[in-house]
C-alpha cells in the first residue's frame, strides 16, 4: 500500500503563504496604528441581519437555516423574531450607550423591512452588504459569472431599498470562493470582513481591505455553538477588552480592535439582552474604548497606512 | 505494534498503584511541559483517500484564516506569557513552517524552546503511506528542523494524529526518544518497538485547548480552572511517584484575546506552587530514563 507519489510533493513550500491573496505580517512588529482621541481599543459592533427563506437553497446551507422537513415554522419564525423584536432591542441598547455599529444586511431585509433600515440609518449606523438572503451563500462551486451576478444583485438591491451604497461586505458564514476577493473589488467594495486571521485591518494584494470580524467572539459561537450563557459571553468580551487595552498601553498607546459580532435572534432575547446592555454600559465608560462602525475604523486605518507610506517615501 | 491484532501490543500493563518512585529534579512531584503546536495548514492541499482536510470546498476561509491567526498574531501573545512565567515550549512543529514562516520558528528557537515533528503539514496525513513514504517524511523532518534551528529532533506527534502500523518502530530506528501519540498514562512509559527504545511522554487530548474549547465547550475561565485542577491532582499524586502534566496548545485558540488572560492565571498558579518541575519534553524523558533504565 502506498499513497500517490504526488501526495508527498509540496509545490507551494516556500517563504510566505501557499496562496497569492495577501502577504504575511506580524501584528506585534507593525508600526502602531493610532485611533482618534488617543483611544486604544476600537470596539466594532457588527450585527447580522438575516432573512432565511423557508425553502433552503444555495451552494451550502447557511448556519441557522431550516432544519426540519418542510415547512419548518419553528426555525423560520425563530430567526425572523430577530428582525421583528431582537434588533429593536439592539437599537435601543446602542442608543442608550451612545454607540454606533455596523449592520451586515441581507438585501432581502432592506426590501422587506424598510422601517428597520430607516431606523438604523436615522441612528447613524453603517450598512454592510451581506448577500441577497440566507440562500445567497458562496463557495467554489459557483461559476465566476454566477458569483459576480450574486454580488452585483446584493449590492444593487440594497442600494435601491436603503438608498445608501455599502463599502463593506460580509459573506454568509464568512465563506468565499477563489474569485470572491477580486469580485468584491470589481463591484466597487472597499473592504470585507470574512478573514479572521488578524486583529487589525490589512490590505489584500488586490487592494481590497480586510476588516477581520473575529468569529470566536461572536454570540453565535459562544452562545449558540458553545452553549454558554449571555453572562459568560459578557465575561469573555470583557476579558478580551482588558487584554487588548493592556497591549495597547504596553505598546505606548497602539491601537487594537475588538470585533463584537451580534445576532438579533441570539443576543436579542428577553433573558439575554440585559447582559448585552450591561456590557455596553461598562465598556462605553472605559477611557480606552472607541466604539466605531467598520467604515470609520477603515478610514482611521487608511490614514495611518498613508502616513506610513509617506514616511517610507521620505526615508 | 502487532498489525491487525486486536491488542496492538504497544506497551505492557503497569497498575498505577505500587509503581517505582520517580523523582524529578529538586524534589518536584510533577513535571509540567507546555506543547505549543506551531502549524501550517495548506489552503488547498491534495485530497487524501481517507480524510478530507477541510469541511468545505477550498478555500475554507474560516478554517484557514483561524489557523493563520497563530502565525500573524497569537503565537507571540502566547509565547510572551509563557516566557514571562518561566515556561519553555516543546514545539509540535509542522516542519514546513520553517519554509513558510521562519519568523515564527526563529522566535521559538530564540526563546530556548525544543522542537519535535508534527509532520510536514497538518494537512498531509500518514494513513496509507508506504514504508518508503513514511521514511521520507521522517527524514524530511529531521533535515528541515536541523537546518532551521540546529536541533536534532527527538520526538514525534503524528501529523493531525495520523499513523501507520510502522510509525513507532520507524521513529525508534531513527533515534527518536519519545512519542506524544499515546494517551494511556500520567507517567512516562516504555513503548514496545522492534529495535531500540522509545518512551511515551504524556501529551494530552483531555486538557488540550482544542478539546477544552471545541469538544467540552469550556469558557476561557473554565479551561484555566480545568488546568489548575489537573495540575493540583497530578502534583499531589506525584509525591508517590513523579507524574507528568502536559499543556498542549494552539496559539490561534489560547492566544485569542478573551482566553489569554485566564490562561496566564493558570500559568501563574502553577509557577508559584513550588511542586512543579517546569521542563521540556526531552529533559523529562531523559530524567525518567536515567532513573528507570528503561524498566519503568
Amino acid at each position: 500500500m502506498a499513497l500517490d507519489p504526488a501526495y508527498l510533493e509540496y509545490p507551494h513550500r516556500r517563504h510566505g503563504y501557499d496562496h497569492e491573496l495577501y502577504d504575511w505580517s506580524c501584528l506585534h512588529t507593525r508600526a502602531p496604528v493610532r485611533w482618534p482621541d488617543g483611544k486604544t481599543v476600537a470596539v466594532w459592533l457588527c450585527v447580522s441581519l438575516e432573512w432565511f427563506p423557508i425553502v433552503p437553497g444555495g451552494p451550502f446551507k447557511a448556519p441557522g437555516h431550516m432544519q426540519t422537513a418542510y415547512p419548518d415554522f419553528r426555525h423560520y419564525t425563530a430567526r425572523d423574531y430577530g428582525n421583528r423584536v431582537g434588533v429593536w432591542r439592539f437599537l435601543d441598547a446602542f442608543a442608550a450607550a451612545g454607540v454606533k455599529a455596523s449592520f451586515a444586511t441581507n438585501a432581502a431585509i432592506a426590501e422587506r423591512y424598510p422601517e428597520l433600515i430607516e431606523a438604523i440609518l436615522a441612528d447613524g449606523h453603517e450598512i454592510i452588504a451581506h448577500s441577497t438572503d440566507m440562500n445567497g451563500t458562496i463557495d467554489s462551486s459557483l461559476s465566476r459569472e454566477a458569483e459576480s451576478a450574486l454580488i452585483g444583485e446584493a449590492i444593487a438591491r440594497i442600494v435601491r431599498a436603503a438608498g445608501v451604497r455599502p463599502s463593506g461586505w460580509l459573506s454568509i458564514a464568512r465563506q468565499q470562493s477563489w474569485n470572491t476577493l477580486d469580485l468584491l473589488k470589481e463591484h466597487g467594495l472597499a473592504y470585507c470582513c470574512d478573514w479572521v486571521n488578524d486583529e487589525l485591518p490589512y490590505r489584500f494584494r488586490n487592494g481590497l481591505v480586510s476588516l477581520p470580524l473575529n468569529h470566536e467572539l461572536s454570540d453565535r459561537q459562544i452562545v449558540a455553538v458553545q452553549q454558554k450563557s449571555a453572562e459568560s459571553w459578557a465575561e469573555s468580551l470583557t476579558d478580551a477588552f482588558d487584554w487588548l487595552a493592556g497591549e495597547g498601553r504596553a505598546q505606548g498607546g497602539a491601537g487594537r480592535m475588538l470585533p463584537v459580532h451580534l445576532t438579533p435572534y441570539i443576543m436579542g432575547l428577553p433573558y439575554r439582552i440585559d447582559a448585552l446592555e450591561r456590557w455596553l454600559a461598562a465598556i462605553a465608560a472605559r477611557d480606552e474604548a472607541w466604539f466605531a462602525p467598520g467604515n470609520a475604523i477603515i478610514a482611521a486605518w487608511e490614514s495611518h497606512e498613508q502616513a506610513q507610506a509617506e514616511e517610507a517615501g521620505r526615508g | 505494534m502487532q498489525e491487525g491484532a486486536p491488542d496492538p501490543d504497544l506497551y505492557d500493563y503497569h497498575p498505577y498503584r505500587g509503581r517505582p518512585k520517580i523523582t524529578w529534579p529538586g524534589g518536584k512531584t510533577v513535571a509540567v511541559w507546555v506543547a505549543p503546536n506551531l502549524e501550517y495548514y495548506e489552503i488547498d492541499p491534495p485530497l487524501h483517500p481517507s480524510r478530507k482536510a477541510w469541511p468545505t470546498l477550498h478555500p475554507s476561509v474560516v478554517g484557514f484564516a483561524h489557523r493563520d491567526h497563530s502565525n500573524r498574531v497569537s503565537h507571540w501573545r502566547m509565547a510572551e506569557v509563557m516566557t514571562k512565567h518561566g515556561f519553555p515550549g516543546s514545539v509540535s512543529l509542522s516542519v514546513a513552517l520553517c519554509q513558510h514562516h521562519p519568523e515564527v520558528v526563529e522566535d521559538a528557537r530564540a526563546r530556548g524552546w525544543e522542537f519535535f515533528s508534527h509532520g510536514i503539514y497538518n494537512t498531509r496525513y500518514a494513513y496509507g503511506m508506504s514504508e518508503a513514504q513514511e521514511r521520507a517524511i521522517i527524514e524530511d523532518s529531521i533535515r528541515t528542523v536541523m537546518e532551521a534551528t540546529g536541533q536534532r529532533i527527538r520526538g514525534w506527534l503524528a501529523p493531525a494524529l495520523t499513523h501507520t502500523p510502522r510509525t513507532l518502530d520507524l521513529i525508534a530506528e531513527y533515534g527518536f526518544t519519545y512519542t506524544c501519540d499515546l494517551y494511556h498514562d500520567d507517567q512516562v512509559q516504555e513503548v514496545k518497538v522492534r529495535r531500540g527504545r522509545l518512551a511515551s511522554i504524556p501529551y494530552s487530548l483531555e486538557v488540550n485547548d482544542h478539546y477544552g474549547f471545541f469538544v467540552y465547550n469550556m469558557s476561557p475561565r473554565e479551561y484555566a480552572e480545568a488546568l489548575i485542577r489537573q495540575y493540583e491532582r497530578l502534583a499531589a499524586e506525584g509525591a508517590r511517584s513523579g507524574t507528568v502534566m502536559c499543556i498542549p496548545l494552539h496559539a490561534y485558540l489560547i492566544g485569542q484575546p478573551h482566553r489569554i488572560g485566564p490562561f496566564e492565571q493558570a500559568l501563574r498558579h502553577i509557577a508559584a506552587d513550588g511542586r512543579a518541575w517546569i521542563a521540556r519534553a526531552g529533559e523529562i524523558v531523559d530524567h525518567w530514563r536515567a532513573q528507570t533504565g528503561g524498566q519503568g
Side-chain angles (χ1 to χ4, degrees), chain B residues 3-21:
Chain B
E3 188 173 357
D7 175 355
D9 197 27
L10 297 167
Y11 41 73
D12 290 328
Y13 181 74
H14 289 298
Y16 194 44
R17 184 184 297 163
R19 287 187 180 175
K21 185 175 171 71

Side-chain angles (χ1 to χ4, degrees), chain A residues 80-126:
Chain A
D80 218 21
Y81 175 93
N83 301 320
R84 300 171 61 89
V85 181
V87 67
W88 295 96
R89 293 197 177 108
F90 283 2
L91 285 170
D92 287 347
F94 297 165
V99 299
K100 304 295 180 217
S102 299
F103 286 76
T105 306
N106 289 166
I109 293 279
E111 292 167 343
R112 294 167 56 88
Y113 310 133
E115 302 92 333
L116 175 57
I117 298 303
E118 201 177 311
I120 288 168
L121 293 174
D123 284 355
H125 302 300
E126 178 195 16

